Amino acid sequence: MLYMEHNRVTIADVAQAAGVSTQTVSRVINGKSELSPGTRAHVLSVIERLGYRPSSIARGLATSRTHTLGLVVPDIANPFFPELARGAEDAAREHGYGVFVCNTGERPDQEAAALDLLHDRRVDGIIVSSSRLPDDRLHPLLARGRAAVLVNRPAPPAIASTVRVDDADGTRQAVAHLLARGRRSLALINGPATSYSAGERARGFAAALETAGIVARPELQVRCQPDHTGGFAAVHALLAAQPQIDALVCYNDLVAVGALQACAALERRVPDDVAVIGCDDILLAALVTPALTTVRVDKRALGAAALDLLLARIAGRVDHAARVLAPTLIVRASA
Amino acid sequence: MLYMEHNRVTIADVAQAAGVSTQTVSRVINGKSELSPGTRAHVLSVIERLGYRPSSIARGLATSRTHTLGLVVPDIANPFFPELARGAEDAAREHGYGVFVCNTGERPDQEAAALDLLHDRRVDGIIVSSSRLPDDRLHPLLARGRAAVLVNRPAPPAIASTVRVDDADGTRQAVAHLLARGRRSLALINGPATSYSAGERARGFAAALETAGIVARPELQVRCQPDHTGGFAAVHALLAAQPQIDALVCYNDLVAVGALQACAALERRVPDDVAVIGCDDILLAALVTPALTTVRVDKRALGAAALDLLLARIAGRVDHAARVLAPTLIVRASA
DNA sequence: CTGTTAGCGCTTTCAT
DNA sequence: ATGAAAGCGCTAACAG
């Protein structure tokens, strides 16, 4: 029969067919050295012939290592995260790891549920990006597991390693660029209050203004959902209330696109009347009109770095527990 | 101690602490009915107190059900797939399933490797979207597992259920729209030859032209990588060779964006000189300039439908083995 | 170099 | 309504 119902070939079947013990089979599939080349070759041929594939489940039970990781993101449909995921997944696969991807929909309870799901499956490690959970809920959930890495969020080394983009500096670069072009009434269209990055942006924004001797007015800082509808709504309302604004620094590129749409709706020209700067440099940023000036973040590198640190942690090395990637301002048409 | 090193609480610990057998504990976590309300409540309280969480790994070994699924996609960073993934993952989580996401990078060997990885982890079912593997390699790999669903690719019901978009019809709608607007020299910028959807597009394209009494010229059909760089290269070359072309039907929206860029580079105005139609209606489509006319596909619904069929298959129901979603032409500025 | 004996943490009979 | 024994497929720790 060409296709078998289920692959029920076990290590015992292989052992029997090869006339050796299960132990010997175990040794060849694990590449142990203490083996005669002859038996190794023979067992290998039997494995091949039977189409035997070791069960990770059984191995996991025996070794308490599942070679499986978890990646928790707010929304894989948000263009920032697929790149992150790709960077992490590619690196994971190179090392023989599979990765569970969980979406939280920006909801703290879903995030906790995702961490439970991953813990139940005994993943070897977890990457949590852009967590929306407060530390006192997040940390205990992570401490149950073997290893964790946080993306864009700090944590004590005992809990997790961290990878992040220097968002405060990115925002500083954006503000500096706008001020250099003569803009004077800058607004910050920021993300969720539960986002650490949002806090960093606010910090960098205030600091950059202060350096220039400008007082940051609180009414020029608003928060919104981190997508283009959120950006549209926030900017539409803000520009109506504060018509003097001549520049918008946005939480991410999607928000910036929403800002572009709001400007169009209000018949404000970009960049002549108001300049717009995004963040992340997703594909979209270069393709909208006007093309977005934005703070570029290497998302794949971020994912790969997270995976690096995670594997190091799993291996017991917690030395370089934090990594910070520098963002770069990409000047295009919108500012 | 607030944070334990590892959660090593087992069913035996709970049983001992509660003064019952592991069996009884097993019964309460599985919601079996043959239990006195008293012991159930008591065991539950002990579980709570100890922070016990059953190991899916151990359960998987015992039951050969892992409550885990696999999703194989060409590239999660391609905007079509995150939406699909979200649709599938949301539905999976509602049913208590976790999902492994694997990228193949459009490479057949990576796809096979992904299927191996999933099989090794004994997933209960697999969704493969846009497979690049020939049937004679794909089918045996799927037949090893308990259940499979293919997205945008047919399969015999014995191998997998299928969910797809009617791509031939989508292309037909696009062509009809262009012909109605007086376009006469239509080119098809198609995707990889290994893509089933690409075959359907070619079929729909030829059929629609034939219906209109136009002979399809083979030199007006080219293939490219399914992203904007592929679209740019293909269209740039094609328009140079065949300057009479007045309309481009593209494999997907990314290719269409590449086409837009190629037109700009060659100083051909869109839609005046050449009309461009995309496919999928990703976020980007509405936001580029000119906004893309495109064939909309409900990607989340596709993912959710795939998950539906997969769960049905896992449960042994193979009745409605195929589902076809109808695409809709969205007319915007580019055509 | 190779085989034997015990589990890993759960569920599944079968008893009681 | 509850417990005891056996086993899921594999590896670890010893033997030899």
Side-chain angles (χ1 to χ4, degrees), chain B residues 18-92:
Chain B
V20 298
S21 74
T22 61
Q23 233 15 258
T24 302
V25 178
S26 174
R27 277 168 185 131
V28 354
I29 63 188
N30 287 296
K32 302 287 186 192
S33 51
E34 332 102 330
L35 265 175
S36 87
T39 49
R40 171 188 304 276
H42 177 227
V43 170
L44 242 20
S45 79
V46 173
I47 286 177
E48 170 82 4
R49 179 160 56 78
L50 266 43
Y52 169 67
R53 295 234 116 211
S55 159
S56 300
I57 296 296
R59 290 177 122 161
L61 224 212
T63 61
S64 60
R65 302 296 235 87
T66 54
H67 290 275
T68 284
L69 306 173
L71 173 64
V72 179
V73 295
D75 180 9
I76 193 75
N78 175 326
F80 182 87
F81 298 105
E83 290 286 345
L84 205 239
R86 187 75 144 88
E89 210 259 302
D90 284 357

Side-chain angles (χ1 to χ4, degrees), chain A residues 270-293:
Chain A
V270 177
D272 306 279
D273 299 334
V274 15
V276 174
I277 294 192
C279 185
D280 293 347
D281 196 25
I282 60 177
L283 176 60
L284 182 54
L287 303 175
V288 291
T289 307
L292 271 181
T293 290

